[in-house]
Structures are given as C-alpha cells and as structure tokens.
Amino acid sequence: MNFKLHTFNGVQYALPEPLTPVKVLGSGTFGLVIRATSPHYETPVAIKIIRDTLGTAKEKANAFREIDILKTVRHQNIILIQDSFIFGQNVYIQTESLDSDLKMVLDSELIISEPNMLKMMKQIVSAVAYLHGICIMNRDLKPANILVDISTFHVKLCDFGSARLFPMRSRPNSPLATSPPHPVPCFPDELLEIPFDDAFSLKVPTSELILPKPVLEPFPSELTREIETLWYRAPEILFGERMYTVSVDLWALGCVLVEIALRKPLFAGDTDQEQMTLILHAFKLNYLPQTDWDFLSSYFRNACRTDLNDVLVGKGLKMRMGIDFLDVVLRFLQFIPSERLSAVNALEFRLFRHE
C-alpha cells in the first residue's frame, strides 16, 4: 500500500493511494478525521487518523479495541467500517461518511419538523439499545458523534474510541456466568425478538423488558472518569464514581433528545463544578464542595426524590413536544442511575410508536 503525504494546519498526514482528501471533518488530541474520495467507492469516505497510538500498550489497545468494536457492530444507525490499516505510528480507520453531524445541524438554520425530530430520536435510541444488547457501552454519546444525512434525516452513531465491552451479570447455573471474551447478547436464554424498523431486528432478553431497573451491574474494576463531553456527563461521573454502568449512556441519551428539541444543550457548564451545580439546582439540591457520590446518591434516594419535570416544562418542552416526549426524557434523566429507563424499553413507549 502506497501512502502520499498531505498537510493540514502545518501538520503532515499520509493517506493511502488512491484516496484523495476533500476536507478535514475534525481534529483533536487524538489526530484528524478526513473526508476523502476513492475510485473504489461511489460516495466519499471518512478516514480517522489516530496519531502516535503504537507508542504504548495502552494506546495500542485503545485503538485496536475501537476497530474490533466497529467490526463487531452491524446496525443501520451505526457507522459502517470499511477498512483499517497502520502507517508508521498511526492507526487509520476508514468508514462511510455522511453529510453532517447532529451538532452542526442543530447549530444551523435548518428547519427540522417535529416528525423528523422524532425520526432522529428513535434512530438514536435504537442504536443505543442495540449496543447495550450486545454488551457495548458507548461512553461518548453527544451530537458531534451522531452523523446525519440531511436529505433524509437518517442518523448514524460514530466515534467508538471511548466505547467498551461490559460484562454480563452473573447468573446461577448459567454456562455464561462469567464475562465472555467477545460481545454477545446479555442473558442469552429467554430471548425475545424486538423489531428495529424494517431493516433490522435485535434479540433482547425478556427479563430486560420486564424489569423496571437496568439489570447490569457496575464494572468489577474502575473506569476512567474523563469520558463524555462535559454537557452530557452523568451525575455519578461528575461526582467521581468510578464503578458506573451503561446508565451513563442513558443520561447522555436524555440530554441529546432534549437538545434536539430545544436546539441547545440542557446543561451547559464550563467547568465540572458549574456542571454539577446546574444539575443539582435542577433537582432542587445545593452544591456542596467535597460531596462524594455515595453520600449524594444516598441522600437523594432517601430524602429528596425530585425530578426534572419543572425544569423541562419551564423550557417549553411539554408545549413543544408533548407529554409523551416529556415522559421518556424524564425517565432517562433520573438522578439515580439504576432508575433510568433502558433504551430498549424506551422503544416500547408511545412516543416512538407513533410512526
């Protein structure tokens, strides 16, 4: 494979021939994302260049884990990987490319009808339900990581650099009582077919549908706290909890759905402390320095029991989107992680059965 050097803002990068760069879609500490054309593909592709990832075992593992996850998932609302390769110390991930991302769409003047809002919302929830069904935690759900075809409002989740497999809950007398080496559906017995639009169906356990609380236990080891853009971080992460569950995705999901409706973030703090304060005030709690998650969650569970209904109604969401929308997002945005609505259960709510 022959590579050709290109330059962006004084930084050189290489692309394999015959890929031709069109524009830079994004850049950060990880590297670059380039839109490119190729005679081998009818439509443009996206190339994520993860710089200097082969220097340490941890960096190498993170890059290869993202590739493995992308090769594992198959869903109409998740970006499709086309190729991956190494050049020097850089790892390249080639995927399909869409017109825009949700952040750009929401920041634009593009008029989005309520049916198209609901169409995007349902697709995002479907993708998260699928990921959780095969034991994958996204950990970085935000509008910038949701690609949009603006002609059809078809969306696809992208960027799985923070994603991670999570273990199944141990079950007595189960041959899969320990965490499997590969992502498989949780609770492989008691499976039920749940339709995801016309083109896809996902096997989900019956127990996941009937239990009011998530059935997933915390990780057996600590996870990094520096995940998810600040505005979409769950309260437990902000307050230092390192044994969290897929519920962090559900909080982020609620924030994203509200942002689609409002076209602005629900909680937009500039610092961790400001973000904590905004969330606590919304739940009618005061911010106290040095408050840890165990104390706060225990106090909330036993003494507080408020929700975000007044805040969301005050922002006009009930009038704008209706009671069915409010019902779903309030269940995602529960302060206590175990009380958040699962994505697969959300698809059974009336909001997503109108289509």
Side-chain angles (χ1 to χ4, degrees):
M1 183 180 291
N2 296 320
F3 282 74
K4 183 178 180 180
L5 287 177
H6 303 272
T7 303
F8 168 71
N9 283 353
V11 177
Q12 281 195 329
Y13 64 92
L15 286 181
E17 296 180 331
L19 287 174
T20 302
V22 175
K23 65 181 292 188
V24 174
L25 298 176
S27 62
T29 55
F30 69 90
L32 298 170
V33 179
I34 309 290
R35 176 173 289 159
T37 58
S38 168
H40 301 312
Y41 295 92
E42 294 182 359
T43 57
V45 301
I47 307 291
K48 181 177 182 179
I49 306 172
I50 312 174
R51 290 200 299 257
D52 302 324
T53 54
L54 303 183
T56 68
K58 180 179 179 180
E59 291 168 341
K60 185 176 180 180
N62 286 341
F64 290 163
R65 182 172 60 205
E66 179 175 4
I67 293 170
D68 286 342
I69 286 175
L70 285 171
K71 287 181 176 179
T72 298
V73 297
R74 286 293 182 272
H75 190 276
Q76 61 181 355
N77 299 121
I78 296 176
I79 203 71
L80 178 66
I81 189 171
Q82 296 170 335
D83 200 359
S84 60
F85 35 87
I86 295 172
F87 180 72
Q89 293 293 303
N90 302 335
V91 172
Y92 292 68
I93 302 176
Q94 178 179 319
T95 66
E96 57 186 333
S97 177
L98 272 66
D99 301 331
S100 187
D101 63 54
L102 185 57
K103 183 180 186 306
M104 294 172 62
V105 169
L106 296 178
D107 289 343
S108 73
E109 299 297 322
L110 181 68
I111 297 174
I112 309 174
S113 66
E114 183 178 329
N116 282 329
M117 286 186 189
L118 291 174
K119 179 180 180 180
M120 290 193 293
M121 291 176 185
K122 183 177 181 180
Q123 292 175 78
I124 297 166
V125 175
S126 296
V128 173
Y130 167 76
L131 290 173
H132 291 178
I134 58 171
C135 302
I136 294 176
M137 183 190 301
N138 182 281
R139 302 205 304 164
D140 198 17
L141 188 65
K142 57 187 179 183
N145 287 344
I146 301 170
L147 302 182
V148 182
D149 181 337
I150 57 177
S151 65
T152 63
F153 290 97
H154 188 80
V155 305
K156 297 197 176 198
L157 271 57
C158 68
D159 195 344
F160 285 77
S162 297
R164 182 165 174 178
L165 305 182
F166 59 83
M168 296 185 299
R169 187 180 68 177
S170 298
R171 303 187 74 194
N173 304 319
S174 170
L176 293 173
T178 57
S179 177
H182 306 293
V184 297
C186 297
F187 303 103
D189 48 343
E190 305 175 0
L191 291 175
L192 180 68
E193 289 284 342
I194 303 296
F196 281 77
D197 297 322
D198 296 328
F200 188 86
S201 65
L202 165 68
K203 288 187 174 182
V204 181
T206 306
S207 53
E208 175 74 1
L209 294 174
I210 61 176
L211 289 177
K213 298 179 181 180
V215 296
L216 300 167
E217 295 179 344
F219 275 70
S221 58
E222 292 185 346
L223 294 173
T224 175
R225 177 176 167 277
E226 296 304 320
I227 62 160
E228 301 201 38
T229 299
L230 183 61
W231 297 345
Y232 311 95
R233 280 187 199 150
E236 59 269 30
I237 295 177
L238 288 167
F239 282 92
E241 178 59 58
R242 301 179 69 90
M243 296 284 285
Y244 50 80
T245 71
V246 293
S247 289
V248 299
D249 285 350
L250 303 174
W251 175 274
L253 186 55
C255 291
V256 169
L257 298 191
V258 170
E259 189 166 341
I260 292 174
L262 293 178
R263 301 192 75 149
K264 60 182 180 181
L266 176 59
F267 301 114
D270 292 328
T271 64
D272 279 13
Q273 181 172 329
E274 185 178 352
Q275 190 72 9
M276 294 178 205
T277 302
L278 289 172
I279 293 173
L280 289 179
H281 283 179
F283 282 100
K284 300 179 176 61
L285 296 170
N286 292 321
Y287 174 75
L288 298 174
Q290 309 305 319
T291 299
D292 63 26
W293 176 247
D294 287 341
F295 170 82
L296 191 60
S297 58
S298 176
Y299 171 78
F300 189 92
R301 185 180 284 110
N302 296 318
C304 188
R305 310 307 305 173
T306 60
D307 62 27
L308 296 180
N309 183 72
D310 291 346
V311 172
L312 299 183
V313 170
K315 292 180 179 292
L317 282 173
K318 183 177 180 180
M319 182 176 297
R320 182 177 305 182
M321 299 297 296
I323 190 67
D324 292 341
F325 174 80
L326 208 61
D327 186 29
V328 169
V329 295
L330 281 173
R331 292 172 188 266
F332 280 140
L333 295 170
Q334 289 292 310
F335 194 81
I336 302 300
S338 62
E339 296 179 1
R340 292 174 198 151
L341 176 68
S342 71
V344 70
N345 279 347
L347 292 169
E348 295 300 304
F349 277 61
R350 187 163 55 183
L351 177 70
F352 298 123
R353 290 192 280 112
H354 284 168
E355 289 188 281

